[in-house]
Short mmCIF file of all heavy atoms in Angstrom, two decimals:
data_model
loop_
_atom_site.label_atom_id
_atom_site.label_comp_id
_atom_site.label_asym_id
_atom_site.label_seq_id
_atom_site.Cartn_x
_atom_site.Cartn_y
_atom_site.Cartn_z
N ALA S 1 108.52 106.74 107.90
CA ALA S 1 107.13 107.18 107.91
C ALA S 1 106.48 106.98 106.54
O ALA S 1 105.25 106.98 106.43
CB ALA S 1 107.06 108.65 108.31
N TYR S 2 107.28 106.79 105.50
CA TYR S 2 106.76 106.61 104.15
C TYR S 2 106.63 105.14 103.74
O TYR S 2 106.26 104.84 102.61
CB TYR S 2 107.67 107.33 103.14
CG TYR S 2 107.71 108.81 103.37
CD1 TYR S 2 108.79 109.40 104.02
CD2 TYR S 2 106.67 109.62 102.95
CE1 TYR S 2 108.83 110.78 104.24
CE2 TYR S 2 106.70 110.99 103.17
CZ TYR S 2 107.78 111.56 103.81
OH TYR S 2 107.81 112.91 104.03
N LYS S 3 106.91 104.21 104.65
CA LYS S 3 106.85 102.79 104.33
C LYS S 3 105.48 102.39 103.77
O LYS S 3 105.38 101.70 102.76
CB LYS S 3 107.14 101.93 105.56
CG LYS S 3 108.57 101.72 105.84
CD LYS S 3 108.70 100.75 107.00
CE LYS S 3 110.10 100.69 107.51
NZ LYS S 3 110.24 99.78 108.64
N ALA S 4 104.43 102.80 104.45
CA ALA S 4 103.07 102.42 104.02
C ALA S 4 102.78 102.93 102.62
O ALA S 4 102.18 102.21 101.80
CB ALA S 4 102.04 102.94 105.01
N ASP S 5 103.19 104.15 102.32
CA ASP S 5 102.97 104.71 100.98
C ASP S 5 103.76 103.94 99.91
O ASP S 5 103.23 103.64 98.84
CB ASP S 5 103.39 106.19 100.93
CG ASP S 5 102.50 107.07 101.78
OD1 ASP S 5 101.33 106.70 102.01
OD2 ASP S 5 102.97 108.14 102.21
N ILE S 6 105.00 103.61 100.22
CA ILE S 6 105.83 102.85 99.28
C ILE S 6 105.22 101.48 99.04
O ILE S 6 105.11 101.02 97.89
CB ILE S 6 107.27 102.72 99.82
CG1 ILE S 6 107.94 104.10 99.88
CG2 ILE S 6 108.09 101.74 98.98
CD1 ILE S 6 109.24 104.12 100.66
N GLN S 7 104.79 100.83 100.10
CA GLN S 7 104.21 99.50 99.98
C GLN S 7 102.90 99.54 99.19
O GLN S 7 102.63 98.67 98.37
CB GLN S 7 104.01 98.89 101.36
CG GLN S 7 105.33 98.60 102.04
CD GLN S 7 105.21 98.25 103.50
OE1 GLN S 7 104.17 98.46 104.14
NE2 GLN S 7 106.27 97.70 104.07
N GLN S 8 102.10 100.56 99.40
CA GLN S 8 100.83 100.71 98.67
C GLN S 8 101.09 100.95 97.18
O GLN S 8 100.43 100.36 96.33
CB GLN S 8 100.00 101.85 99.26
CG GLN S 8 98.69 102.09 98.54
CD GLN S 8 97.75 100.89 98.62
OE1 GLN S 8 97.74 100.15 99.59
NE2 GLN S 8 96.98 100.68 97.57
N LYS S 9 102.03 101.81 96.85
CA LYS S 9 102.36 102.09 95.44
C LYS S 9 102.89 100.82 94.75
O LYS S 9 102.56 100.57 93.59
CB LYS S 9 103.38 103.21 95.32
CG LYS S 9 102.86 104.56 95.75
CD LYS S 9 101.76 105.04 94.83
CE LYS S 9 101.30 106.43 95.24
NZ LYS S 9 100.16 106.88 94.49
N ALA S 10 103.70 100.03 95.46
CA ALA S 10 104.20 98.78 94.89
C ALA S 10 103.05 97.82 94.64
O ALA S 10 103.00 97.14 93.61
CB ALA S 10 105.23 98.15 95.82
N ARG S 11 102.11 97.76 95.55
CA ARG S 11 100.93 96.90 95.40
C ARG S 11 100.10 97.33 94.20
O ARG S 11 99.64 96.50 93.41
CB ARG S 11 100.08 96.93 96.68
CG ARG S 11 98.81 96.15 96.60
CD ARG S 11 99.07 94.70 96.81
NE ARG S 11 97.81 93.97 96.81
CZ ARG S 11 97.72 92.72 96.46
NH1 ARG S 11 98.78 92.05 96.13
NH2 ARG S 11 96.57 92.12 96.46
N GLU S 12 99.89 98.63 94.05
CA GLU S 12 99.12 99.16 92.92
C GLU S 12 99.82 98.88 91.59
O GLU S 12 99.18 98.57 90.59
CB GLU S 12 98.91 100.67 93.08
CG GLU S 12 97.96 101.04 94.19
CD GLU S 12 97.93 102.54 94.47
OE1 GLU S 12 98.54 103.31 93.70
OE2 GLU S 12 97.29 102.92 95.46
N ALA S 13 101.14 98.98 91.57
CA ALA S 13 101.89 98.81 90.32
C ALA S 13 102.05 97.34 89.92
O ALA S 13 102.10 97.04 88.73
CB ALA S 13 103.26 99.46 90.45
N THR S 14 102.15 96.44 90.90
CA THR S 14 102.47 95.05 90.59
C THR S 14 101.39 94.05 90.95
O THR S 14 101.42 92.92 90.47
CB THR S 14 103.76 94.62 91.32
OG1 THR S 14 103.52 94.64 92.73
CG2 THR S 14 104.92 95.53 90.97
N GLY S 15 100.49 94.44 91.84
CA GLY S 15 99.49 93.49 92.34
C GLY S 15 100.05 92.56 93.40
O GLY S 15 99.39 91.61 93.81
N ARG S 16 101.26 92.82 93.85
CA ARG S 16 101.91 91.99 94.87
C ARG S 16 102.31 92.85 96.06
O ARG S 16 102.51 94.04 95.94
CB ARG S 16 103.16 91.32 94.30
CG ARG S 16 102.88 90.42 93.12
CD ARG S 16 104.15 89.78 92.65
NE ARG S 16 103.96 89.13 91.37
CZ ARG S 16 104.86 88.37 90.81
NH1 ARG S 16 106.03 88.18 91.40
NH2 ARG S 16 104.64 87.80 89.66
N ASP S 17 102.45 92.18 97.19
CA ASP S 17 102.81 92.89 98.41
C ASP S 17 104.32 93.07 98.52
O ASP S 17 105.10 92.16 98.24
CB ASP S 17 102.32 92.13 99.65
CG ASP S 17 100.81 92.17 99.77
OD1 ASP S 17 100.20 93.17 99.35
OD2 ASP S 17 100.24 91.19 100.28
N LEU S 18 104.71 94.26 98.93
CA LEU S 18 106.10 94.58 99.25
C LEU S 18 106.13 94.87 100.74
O LEU S 18 105.31 95.64 101.24
CB LEU S 18 106.56 95.82 98.48
CG LEU S 18 107.94 96.36 98.84
CD1 LEU S 18 109.04 95.43 98.34
CD2 LEU S 18 108.14 97.76 98.27
N VAL S 19 107.06 94.24 101.45
CA VAL S 19 107.19 94.46 102.89
C VAL S 19 108.61 94.94 103.17
O VAL S 19 109.58 94.36 102.69
CB VAL S 19 106.90 93.16 103.68
CG1 VAL S 19 107.12 93.37 105.17
CG2 VAL S 19 105.50 92.67 103.40
N ILE S 20 108.71 96.02 103.94
CA ILE S 20 110.01 96.54 104.37
C ILE S 20 110.03 96.44 105.89
O ILE S 20 109.39 97.22 106.58
CB ILE S 20 110.22 97.99 103.90
CG1 ILE S 20 110.07 98.08 102.39
CG2 ILE S 20 111.59 98.50 104.35
CD1 ILE S 20 110.01 99.49 101.85
N ASP S 21 110.74 95.42 106.40
CA ASP S 21 110.78 95.18 107.84
C ASP S 21 111.76 96.09 108.57
O ASP S 21 111.57 96.41 109.73
CB ASP S 21 111.16 93.73 108.14
CG ASP S 21 110.06 92.75 107.73
OD1 ASP S 21 108.87 93.11 107.87
OD2 ASP S 21 110.39 91.65 107.27
N GLY S 22 112.82 96.51 107.88
CA GLY S 22 113.87 97.31 108.52
C GLY S 22 113.72 98.79 108.24
O GLY S 22 112.66 99.28 107.84
N ASN S 23 114.82 99.49 108.41
CA ASN S 23 114.84 100.94 108.25
C ASN S 23 115.07 101.35 106.80
O ASN S 23 115.72 100.64 106.03
CB ASN S 23 115.96 101.55 109.10
CG ASN S 23 115.63 101.49 110.57
OD1 ASN S 23 114.49 101.63 110.96
ND2 ASN S 23 116.64 101.26 111.38
N ILE S 24 114.55 102.52 106.46
CA ILE S 24 114.80 103.15 105.17
C ILE S 24 115.69 104.36 105.46
O ILE S 24 115.39 105.15 106.35
CB ILE S 24 113.50 103.61 104.50
CG1 ILE S 24 112.59 102.41 104.25
CG2 ILE S 24 113.79 104.36 103.21
CD1 ILE S 24 111.22 102.81 103.74
N LYS S 25 116.78 104.49 104.70
CA LYS S 25 117.70 105.60 104.90
C LYS S 25 118.03 106.26 103.57
O LYS S 25 118.02 105.62 102.53
CB LYS S 25 119.00 105.09 105.53
CG LYS S 25 118.83 104.47 106.90
CD LYS S 25 120.14 103.93 107.41
CE LYS S 25 119.93 103.19 108.71
NZ LYS S 25 121.14 102.48 109.13
N LEU S 26 118.34 107.54 103.63
CA LEU S 26 118.75 108.29 102.45
C LEU S 26 120.06 108.99 102.76
O LEU S 26 120.22 109.57 103.83
CB LEU S 26 117.69 109.34 102.08
CG LEU S 26 118.06 110.27 100.93
CD1 LEU S 26 118.00 109.52 99.61
CD2 LEU S 26 117.13 111.46 100.89
N SER S 27 120.98 108.92 101.81
CA SER S 27 122.21 109.69 101.92
C SER S 27 122.36 110.47 100.62
O SER S 27 121.95 110.02 99.56
CB SER S 27 123.42 108.80 102.18
OG SER S 27 123.61 107.90 101.11
N ILE S 28 122.94 111.64 100.70
CA ILE S 28 123.08 112.51 99.55
C ILE S 28 124.47 112.43 98.94
O ILE S 28 124.63 112.42 97.74
CB ILE S 28 122.76 113.98 99.94
CG1 ILE S 28 121.35 114.09 100.50
CG2 ILE S 28 122.97 114.91 98.77
CD1 ILE S 28 120.25 113.77 99.50
N LEU S 29 125.49 112.38 99.80
CA LEU S 29 126.87 112.40 99.31
C LEU S 29 127.53 111.07 99.56
O LEU S 29 127.27 110.42 100.56
CB LEU S 29 127.64 113.52 100.01
CG LEU S 29 127.14 114.93 99.71
CD1 LEU S 29 127.87 115.93 100.59
CD2 LEU S 29 127.31 115.27 98.25
N PRO S 30 128.39 110.60 98.69
CA PRO S 30 128.91 111.24 97.49
C PRO S 30 127.92 111.24 96.33
O PRO S 30 128.03 112.05 95.42
CB PRO S 30 130.15 110.42 97.16
CG PRO S 30 129.88 109.08 97.73
CD PRO S 30 129.01 109.30 98.93
N SER S 31 126.96 110.32 96.36
CA SER S 31 125.88 110.35 95.37
C SER S 31 124.59 109.96 96.10
O SER S 31 124.64 109.25 97.09
CB SER S 31 126.16 109.38 94.21
OG SER S 31 126.12 108.05 94.67
N PRO S 32 123.45 110.44 95.63
CA PRO S 32 122.19 110.12 96.31
C PRO S 32 121.97 108.60 96.33
O PRO S 32 122.10 107.93 95.31
CB PRO S 32 121.14 110.82 95.45
CG PRO S 32 121.87 111.90 94.75
CD PRO S 32 123.26 111.35 94.51
N GLN S 33 121.67 108.09 97.52
CA GLN S 33 121.49 106.66 97.68
C GLN S 33 120.38 106.39 98.68
O GLN S 33 120.35 106.97 99.77
CB GLN S 33 122.79 106.02 98.17
CG GLN S 33 122.74 104.52 98.26
CD GLN S 33 124.07 103.95 98.69
OE1 GLN S 33 124.40 104.01 99.87
NE2 GLN S 33 124.83 103.43 97.75
N LEU S 34 119.47 105.52 98.30
CA LEU S 34 118.37 105.10 99.18
C LEU S 34 118.65 103.65 99.56
O LEU S 34 118.99 102.83 98.70
CB LEU S 34 117.03 105.20 98.45
CG LEU S 34 115.81 104.79 99.25
CD1 LEU S 34 115.51 105.86 100.30
CD2 LEU S 34 114.62 104.62 98.34
N SER S 35 118.52 103.34 100.84
CA SER S 35 118.73 101.96 101.27
C SER S 35 117.57 101.53 102.16
O SER S 35 116.96 102.34 102.85
CB SER S 35 120.06 101.82 102.02
OG SER S 35 120.05 102.60 103.19
N ALA S 36 117.28 100.24 102.09
CA ALA S 36 116.22 99.66 102.91
C ALA S 36 116.70 98.29 103.39
O ALA S 36 117.41 97.58 102.67
CB ALA S 36 114.94 99.52 102.11
N GLU S 37 116.30 97.93 104.60
CA GLU S 37 116.70 96.65 105.18
C GLU S 37 115.47 95.76 105.35
O GLU S 37 114.37 96.25 105.60
CB GLU S 37 117.37 96.88 106.53
CG GLU S 37 118.63 97.72 106.45
CD GLU S 37 119.18 98.09 107.81
OE1 GLU S 37 118.48 97.87 108.82
OE2 GLU S 37 120.29 98.62 107.86
N GLY S 38 115.69 94.46 105.21
CA GLY S 38 114.60 93.51 105.43
C GLY S 38 113.48 93.66 104.42
O GLY S 38 112.33 93.85 104.80
N VAL S 39 113.79 93.55 103.14
CA VAL S 39 112.81 93.75 102.08
C VAL S 39 112.32 92.40 101.58
O VAL S 39 113.12 91.49 101.32
CB VAL S 39 113.41 94.56 100.91
CG1 VAL S 39 112.41 94.73 99.79
CG2 VAL S 39 113.93 95.90 101.41
#
């Protein structure tokens, strides 16, 4: 649900488009990790 926000922030910061076609996942253990597919 946060894809659009992430893509907008990347556009504002770089002037380029970021597209995330796949899923975004977060895991906490054993260490916090964010993953995205199709970037």
Side-chain angles (χ1 to χ4, degrees):
Y2 297 102
K3 277 185 191 179
D5 293 334
I6 294 168
Q7 293 169 345
Q8 179 62 33
K9 293 294 183 186
R11 176 80 177 153
E12 290 171 7
T14 65
R16 300 181 191 188
D17 290 328
L18 173 72
V19 177
I20 304 170
D21 291 325
N23 289 324
I24 299 173
K25 298 177 186 171
L26 175 72
S27 62
I28 301 296
L29 296 173
S31 67
Q33 185 178 77
L34 180 72
S35 63
E37 298 173 350
V39 178

